[in-house]
Amino acid sequence: MKMNSSFLPIILLSLFLFLSFPSFSLSVRCNPKDKQVLLQIKKDLGNPYHLASWDPNTDCCYWYVVKCDRKTNRINALTVFQANISGQIPAAVGDLPYLEILQFHHITNLTGTIQPTIAKLTNLKQLRLSFTNLTGQIPEFLSQLKNLTLLELNYNQFTGTIPSSFSQLPNLLAIHLDRNKLTGQIPESFGKFKGGQIPELYLSHNSLTGPVPRSLGDLNFTRLDFSRNKLEGDVSFLFGKNKTIQDIDLSRNTLEFDISKLEFPESLTSLDLNHNKIYGRLPEGLKDLELQYLNVSYNRLCGEIPQGGKLQSFDVYSYLHNKCLCGSPLPDCK
Ligand SMILES: *[C@@H]1O[C@H](CO)[C@@H](O)[C@H](O)[C@H]1NC(C)=O
Ligand SMILES: *[C@@H]1O[C@H](CO)[C@@H](O)[C@H](O)[C@H]1NC(C)=O
Ligand SMILES: *[C@@H]1O[C@H](CO)[C@@H](O)[C@H](O)[C@H]1NC(C)=O
Ligand SMILES: *[C@@H]1O[C@H](CO)[C@@H](O)[C@H](O)[C@H]1NC(C)=O
Ligand SMILES: *[C@@H]1O[C@H](CO)[C@@H](O)[C@H](O)[C@H]1NC(C)=O
Ligand SMILES: *[C@@H]1O[C@H](CO)[C@@H](O)[C@H](O)[C@H]1NC(C)=O
Ligand SMILES: *[C@@H]1O[C@H](CO)[C@@H](O)[C@H](O)[C@H]1NC(C)=O
């Protein structure tokens, strides 16, 4: 029987494919487009040792620091952590359209600005570019990534102001912009987050100035860290009986207000106000709180420390360097 000669090229092609891609089989999950993009990323990062497992002859769903979605088999996570990688975030990261988690964490030699192609990653839920040496402004376009729940850009060299449009992100649970060189004011809009959840807000160790916007008093934050900035004025509106704040650090600013009349929510467990210009007597209401941490040192407080509750479980270092604060654990009032 003579074989139909038109089949021959197909047979030869199949044989060629089989021989040149030994791992080619029906069970390969990796999407070829994603593989191509990942190999481009590897190349752009200078073929680092960290990505040695990214071998073009193997299934990219099983490569180091990436994950494939179970249903679509598309790359949905790229999480590079503690790698000896030098250079910038490659533009190709924007060509992984199914990405939900993008992380470059603890990479000292990662430099440059936030890669603009990240704007294309509309499915992104977590963006974590932290403990890196990124510079430039924090771009406005991040507020178009409506699925973001975590925006973590801390421990970098970012300058400029905080985009006020971040308050438009409907699903945010946390904004961590601490340990940068950010300037300007905390946006007024941060008192009007669009989402169902009020995100935790970490803005510490920057150079933020001006008063904390009053609008922030309209929200029930649970965690705020504004420490080590240049914030000034009154922040009494962050407190009140009907709030749900648990943990608040306002230390090392130039806040100036009378603490005497403040009412604290029952939820408060950690209060750090050290190094400000806060004056007045410590309110009796502090005794009613289940405080685990308190620091009011280096202010201008006066009068007797309320006696009772947890207040005497803290040592003198929680109260030192005030104008005329007295009573246990400090020396008796005269
Ligand atoms: C970073 O770059 C410096 C200088 O090029 C190099 O000495 C160092 O080994 C690199 N990697 C890390 C992880 O520090
Ligand atoms: C990082 O990689 C560079 C070049 O590949 C190498 O010279 C250097 O020693 C590495 N640094 C560390 C801390 O591993
Ligand atoms: C940024 O780079 C400097 C020196 O190049 C280094 O000392 C510093 O630790 C780096 N920052 C981070 C967060 O890795
Ligand atoms: C957010 O994710 C959902 C699925 O989790 C998706 O349907 C939706 O298109 C995404 N939103 C945007 C703005 O892309
Ligand atoms: C919270 O309490 C303040 C006064 O303590 C009051 O003005 C405000 O309306 C209250 N807000 C809510 C939402 O209960
Ligand atoms: C904060 O939450 C408490 C308890 O859920 C609620 O009573 C209060 O009205 C809320 N306050 C604001 C300002 O939303
Ligand atoms: C309170 O803050 C001061 C000033 O930063 C510090 O010296 C002290 O150790 C702190 N106290 C506690 C209990 O952490």
Side-chain angles (χ1 to χ4, degrees):
M1 195 169 94
K2 196 166 177 286
M3 192 193 281
N4 186 337
S5 64
S6 68
F7 280 150
L8 199 60
I10 296 174
I11 291 169
L12 284 175
L13 183 67
S14 308
L15 193 66
F16 169 77
L17 281 174
F18 181 77
L19 290 174
S20 44
F21 299 97
S23 66
F24 182 82
S25 78
L26 285 176
S27 66
V28 169
R29 295 175 60 205
C30 177
N31 179 286
K33 280 187 207 149
D34 288 346
K35 180 182 264 188
Q36 203 180 3
V37 172
L38 290 172
L39 290 171
Q40 183 65 46
I41 291 172
K42 179 179 176 180
K43 185 167 168 247
D44 291 349
L45 291 173
N47 294 314
Y49 174 72
H50 198 74
L51 305 180
S53 74
W54 292 18
D55 172 352
N57 296 319
T58 58
D59 188 338
C60 75
C61 287
Y62 301 100
W63 289 356
Y64 191 52
V65 303
V66 293
K67 279 205 175 76
C68 284
D69 181 81
R70 278 168 189 277
K71 287 194 189 124
T72 62
N73 282 336
R74 300 299 299 258
I75 295 289
N76 65 1
L78 171 60
T79 54
V80 188
F81 175 76
Q82 253 182 357
N84 182 358
I85 284 175
S86 297
Q88 310 206 356
I89 299 174
V93 295
D95 298 324
L96 295 169
Y98 288 72
L99 216 53
E100 292 179 9
I101 301 177
L102 176 60
Q103 170 184 304
F104 285 91
H105 178 66
H106 222 298
I107 306 171
T108 315
N109 288 349
L110 192 71
T111 53
T113 56
I114 294 187
Q115 174 52 247
T117 61
I118 289 175
K120 293 193 278 180
L121 301 174
T122 52
N123 287 305
L124 215 54
K125 291 180 177 155
Q126 295 184 21
L127 178 61
R128 197 164 179 230
L129 309 173
S130 57
F131 282 90
T132 46
N133 257 315
L134 299 177
T135 50
Q137 305 235 351
I138 294 180
E140 197 84 35
F141 72 72
L142 296 177
S143 56
Q144 288 152 30
L145 305 176
K146 299 297 183 200
N147 276 346
L148 275 187
T149 57
L150 172 67
L151 179 57
E152 184 168 287
L153 305 173
N154 55 4
Y155 291 87
N156 279 292
Q157 314 278 352
F158 292 123
T159 49
T161 56
I162 301 173
S164 64
S165 53
F166 286 172
S167 63
Q168 306 284 327
L169 286 167
N171 297 304
L172 266 189
L173 301 178
I175 303 188
H176 297 169
L177 305 179
D178 48 297
R179 308 255 179 181
N180 278 294
K181 297 174 174 170
L182 300 172
T183 51
Q185 304 203 9
I186 297 173
E188 174 79 25
S189 64
F190 277 22
K192 297 179 190 68
F193 277 95
K194 290 280 183 287
Q197 291 267 1
I198 314 296
E200 58 179 35
L201 214 48
Y202 292 178
L203 307 177
S204 74
H205 291 80
N206 279 293
S207 297
L208 301 173
T209 49
V212 174
R214 267 206 90 83
S215 57
L216 267 66
D218 299 339
L219 291 184
N220 260 330
F221 290 98
T222 49
R223 284 200 175 75
L224 291 178
D225 186 355
F226 296 166
S227 64
R228 293 187 193 245
N229 278 289
K230 297 169 183 164
L231 300 168
E232 59 190 50
D234 189 356
V235 290
S236 335
F237 50 82
L238 294 176
F239 300 93
K241 273 270 178 255
N242 56 9
K243 290 287 194 335
T244 52
I245 193 129
Q246 292 167 13
D247 191 334
I248 186 160
D249 188 350
L250 303 168
S251 64
R252 294 184 192 256
N253 280 287
T254 51
L255 301 171
E256 190 168 5
F257 61 96
D258 183 356
I259 201 172
S260 316
K261 295 191 186 68
L262 275 199
E263 290 194 296
F264 297 99
E266 276 175 31
S267 52
L268 192 66
T269 55
S270 178
L271 176 65
D272 197 344
L273 301 173
N274 87 71
H275 282 96
N276 278 289
K277 299 178 179 172
I278 302 166
Y279 56 91
R281 294 174 71 94
L282 286 177
E284 290 290 317
L286 276 177
K287 288 194 300 193
D288 305 332
L289 302 177
E290 288 298 320
L291 285 174
Q292 284 155 20
Y293 186 82
L294 175 73
N295 201 334
V296 296
S297 65
Y298 295 88
N299 276 291
R300 298 177 179 171
L301 302 172
C302 231
E304 183 174 25
I305 297 169
Q307 299 294 305
K310 298 271 183 206
L311 295 183
Q312 279 63 47
S313 66
F314 305 108
D315 64 17
V316 291
Y317 297 103
S318 290
Y319 299 102
L320 279 180
H321 288 277
N322 274 287
K323 197 169 152 208
C324 47
L325 205 56
C326 57
S328 172
L330 293 178
D332 287 348
C333 303
K334 302 219 170 72

